[in-house]
Amino acid sequence: MEKGAVGGGSDPRPPRRRGLAMALHQRDAAGGAKEETGELYGDGDGDGGGAEAGQPAHARGPVPKWSEQLTARGLVVSAAVGIMYSVIVMKLNLTTGLDPTLNVSAALISFVILRVWTHATARLGFAVRPLTRQENTVIQTCAVACYGISSAGGFGSYLLGLSKKTYEAAGTDIEGNVGWKEPGIGWMTGYLFAVSFVGILALVPLRKILVIDYKLTYPSGTATAVLINGFHAPQGDDVAKMQVKGFTKYFAISFFWSFFQWFYSGGDKCGFSQFPTLGLRARKQTFFFDFNLTYVGAGMICPHLINISLLLGSILSYGIMWPLISDLKGNWYPADLPESSMRSLQGYKAFICIALILGDGMYNFAKIIVSTIWSIVNKSEKKNTKKEEDILSLDDLHRNEVFTRESLPNWIAFLGYFGLSLVAVITIPLMFPEIKWYYAIIAYILAPALGFSNAYGSGLTDINMAFNYGKVALLILAATAGKEHGVVAGMVGCGMVKSIASISADLMQDFKTGHLTLTSPRSMLIAQIVGTVMGCVIAPLAFFVFYNAFDIGNLNGPWKAPYALIYRNIAILGVEGFSALPMHCLQLCCGFFAFALVANLMRDFLPRKYGKWIPLPMAMGFPFLVGASFAIDMCVGTLIVYIWHKIDKSKAVHMVPAVASGFICGDGLWIFPASLLSLAKITPPMCMAFESTR
């Protein structure tokens, strides 16, 4: 799933955005227990003499030069964190499509590795350069750019949607389902290099306007800065030690638990992942806890409402709707068709899921555009009005001076953007003849406007709408290119638009972090470029480890990659219109599309005490296609957080992010040996299975 989708892009209130889930737990670590929510978002004065949130007053000392913020150990740590999280994100994309925001977790892991590194080298008698918040920020930026390619590169969605297996899963007899291209490490790497760098330079000339002049909060960027500054605060050392110890402990538990489970999984439906915790009949409808600590950790990161929404979607789909529709076999759809056919039960699963996603996405797309225009108009009307609160403190002046003095010259940004766009316009039509060169030119002419709109909206609400820009482009290009080329052209064009919009918004989040940690934008831009280069190489390699080791795209197995089928069906919908839907599916889709709109309206316009309980439509949509087991895992994670906060809130605030990161990284690291064992044809020695005795 795309970045931003997990949070149910429907929530307009920054304190509940998913990108801040871990940072909210870290708030007290950065600024003391009495720090208010307003300070976290940069709109409070705090106790630091006017210092903005995330930037303590004690950090006013000399700032290292930009070249000193880029270190050899930083690149090594960035590569290590980037590889680890690329594998984790790839696993999530290829199983459920879930893609939680892991930026704050990456900052935590980077600090843990750096701390171990510096202590180890110091004990060996080597001279150790002090670890600074600027180096930590640069490493986090580079690592996030690296694994961001695995997240937004389309390996679980539009690129995999081009494969022959997804083409067959969509139905070879479906009108408009034309064209496929098997995954290849060569063309995938080339495609990523062609589309991933344009977005980096699209908004560089506007960074001062967005971060300083408009004072956009960029909540995830602010949250990461709060965490990093908390690590480097004088009072933060004890907390950091506790977090490092907690992360290490639960990392080891997660890794060895995954290793232990492997011995019992010697078959298709064997092992703890098939344990019928709620009974055999419930397991048949995917209601069981599968002991996957990655999703337990993700549930600890995501807000409670997201996890509850996932569970509600599971109950509604696999608990009620799919059993009822299955009973209508022979009436609503031919009885001789397998359930995996898009003209049978699978069609209802896929298109109703799409209806929820599009309904939620279209609403938030419109809302962000309106909010952006409204905010810009208001700021332009008030730009000549000098208010008392507009008078900057010394800390603000210091941050602004650091942020503007070491910038990339605009002429380099313009020239680089033109050159990179030209490369993409030439190379992409050569790789995909279905997409015409003038489609690419139009995309890159509109790119700065799309990137600005997405970056501005992300700064206001923390919602990255890149996946919705991509879906709109997918529908338009599929309809424009026609029946013979529409599916391929739509998905390739979707990737171009999404990459531009996503990277622009992510870079502005990083610039906000850099602004609050006194990090040079030049060093951050270089880190972003280096991380993107790493990601363009690492992500295809990680994908092919999974692709060769596991049965990717099998809707009856654990590696469903649901978004590949969803994106292909959206393209078919753009080519064929509603004729591609099974019987009565259009009416159901319209109903769920309307539900998504109404749910969002209720969340936005009801009083907060009522609106906060409305479930998130997009989160409800995931289980419609994927199943209920991962939602139960995530609800276990949210239950752990809830109970922990009730028992010892002060400790939970600091330790939940560390424990969640340990669960995710330990299970994620096991993927490496598991993949190697699978490639070597070494199978587990035992099969633990469960069957009814009746």
Side-chain angles (χ1 to χ4, degrees), residues 130-294:
L131 174 60
T132 64
R133 71 189 69 233
Q134 289 80 15
E135 184 181 6
N136 208 158
T137 302
V138 167
I139 291 169
Q140 188 265 347
T141 299
C142 186
V144 170
C146 178
Y147 77 75
I149 301 297
S150 294
S151 174
F155 294 98
S157 54
Y158 49 87
L159 292 186
L160 186 60
L162 294 170
S163 69
K164 185 177 182 181
K165 181 177 285 188
T166 309
Y167 160 75
E168 292 172 346
T172 55
D173 58 334
I174 300 293
E175 290 288 331
N177 184 24
V178 179
W180 53 273
K181 188 179 181 72
E182 272 297 278
I185 197 166
W187 72 259
M188 282 183 160
T189 303
Y191 177 79
L192 292 174
F193 271 105
V195 304
S196 297
F197 292 89
V198 180
I200 296 176
L201 299 177
L203 295 187
V204 167
L206 301 177
R207 62 183 176 78
K208 178 180 176 294
I209 295 173
L210 292 168
V211 175
I212 296 178
D213 296 342
Y214 284 174
K215 295 183 176 66
L216 297 177
T217 55
Y218 287 102
S220 285
T222 301
T224 306
V226 169
L227 182 67
I228 292 174
N229 282 325
F231 286 147
H232 297 275
Q235 72 274 20
D237 194 54
D238 291 338
V239 172
K241 287 180 180 178
M242 182 174 65
Q243 290 174 323
V244 170
K245 185 177 179 181
F247 169 80
T248 305
K249 175 182 177 181
Y250 288 97
F251 174 90
I253 289 173
S254 178
F255 179 84
F256 285 108
W257 171 246
S258 299
F259 176 51
F260 175 75
Q261 287 188 83
W262 178 82
F263 285 96
Y264 298 90
S265 58
D268 291 337
K269 293 186 177 181
C270 301
F272 286 90
S273 62
Q274 298 293 323
F275 196 96
T277 45
L278 300 176
L280 290 171
R281 291 186 64 185
R283 189 187 70 172
K284 187 177 180 181
Q285 296 299 332
T286 72
F287 284 93
F288 59 93
F289 176 62
D290 65 4
F291 296 91
N292 190 317
L293 294 185
T294 293

Side-chain angles (χ1 to χ4, degrees), residues 323-483:
L324 291 176
I325 293 177
S326 294
D327 291 340
L328 295 170
K329 182 189 298 186
N331 185 6
W332 281 22
Y333 59 91
D336 57 343
L337 286 178
E339 287 193 354
S340 59
S341 170
M342 291 306 296
R343 293 199 179 277
S344 67
L345 183 61
Q346 188 64 32
Y348 295 95
K349 292 180 180 180
F351 286 110
I352 293 175
C353 177
I354 289 170
L356 276 171
I357 291 171
L358 288 181
D360 190 293
M362 294 299 181
Y363 176 88
N364 283 282
F365 182 82
K367 184 177 75 174
I368 294 300
I369 295 296
V370 171
S371 299
T372 299
I373 295 172
W374 181 264
S375 179
I376 292 173
V377 169
N378 283 344
K379 287 182 183 296
S380 65
E381 290 176 350
K382 297 176 182 178
K383 65 180 179 180
N384 295 322
T385 305
K386 195 74 173 179
K387 296 183 178 181
E388 184 177 347
E389 57 264 30
D390 293 332
I391 299 174
L392 299 177
S393 67
L394 290 176
D395 286 326
D396 291 325
L397 291 171
H398 188 200
R399 279 191 296 272
N400 294 349
E401 189 269 334
V402 170
F403 192 69
T404 55
R405 75 183 177 199
E406 293 177 341
S407 60
L408 184 74
N410 287 343
W411 68 270
I412 294 180
F414 289 129
L415 192 62
Y417 181 81
F418 176 78
L420 291 171
S421 300
L422 185 62
V423 170
V425 168
I426 294 172
T427 56
I428 290 176
L430 292 176
M431 286 189 282
F432 302 95
E434 294 88 350
I435 189 162
K436 306 301 180 184
W437 59 269
Y438 46 84
Y439 291 158
I441 289 178
I442 293 171
Y444 289 124
I445 289 175
L446 297 176
L450 294 174
F452 178 82
S453 176
N454 193 38
Y456 194 98
S458 178
L460 289 174
T461 65
D462 207 33
I463 306 172
N464 190 334
M465 299 296 293
F467 61 98
N468 279 322
Y469 285 100
K471 289 189 182 77
V472 171
L474 174 58
L475 283 168
I476 293 173
L477 282 174
T480 304
K483 187 174 294 187

Side-chain angles (χ1 to χ4, degrees), residues 449-579:
L450 294 174
F452 178 82
S453 176
N454 193 38
Y456 194 98
S458 178
L460 289 174
T461 65
D462 207 33
I463 306 172
N464 190 334
M465 299 296 293
F467 61 98
N468 279 322
Y469 285 100
K471 289 189 182 77
V472 171
L474 174 58
L475 283 168
I476 293 173
L477 282 174
T480 304
K483 187 174 294 187
E484 292 300 317
H485 305 301
V487 170
V488 175
M491 287 193 285
V492 174
C494 165
M496 295 168 61
V497 171
K498 182 185 170 187
S499 295
I500 295 165
S502 178
I503 291 173
S504 297
D506 289 344
L507 184 59
M508 286 301 148
Q509 292 276 9
D510 289 336
F511 275 146
K512 182 66 176 182
T513 303
H515 180 244
L516 295 177
T517 57
L518 297 176
T519 305
S520 166
R522 185 177 297 178
S523 64
M524 294 191 70
L525 192 63
I526 293 173
Q528 180 83 19
I529 293 171
V530 171
T532 303
V533 171
M534 289 180 184
C536 289
V537 175
I538 292 169
L541 293 174
F543 171 78
F544 272 93
V545 169
F546 285 99
Y547 195 73
N548 292 324
F550 306 108
D551 188 12
I552 305 298
N554 180 4
L555 296 174
N556 296 317
W559 301 91
K560 294 178 175 66
Y563 268 85
L565 185 60
I566 287 174
Y567 271 68
R568 190 168 189 101
N569 280 312
I570 291 176
I572 293 170
L573 201 61
V575 172
E576 288 297 311
F578 296 128
S579 63

Side-chain angles (χ1 to χ4, degrees), residues 47-60:
D47 301 319
E52 189 173 345
Q55 176 54 41
H58 64 261
R60 297 177 189 164

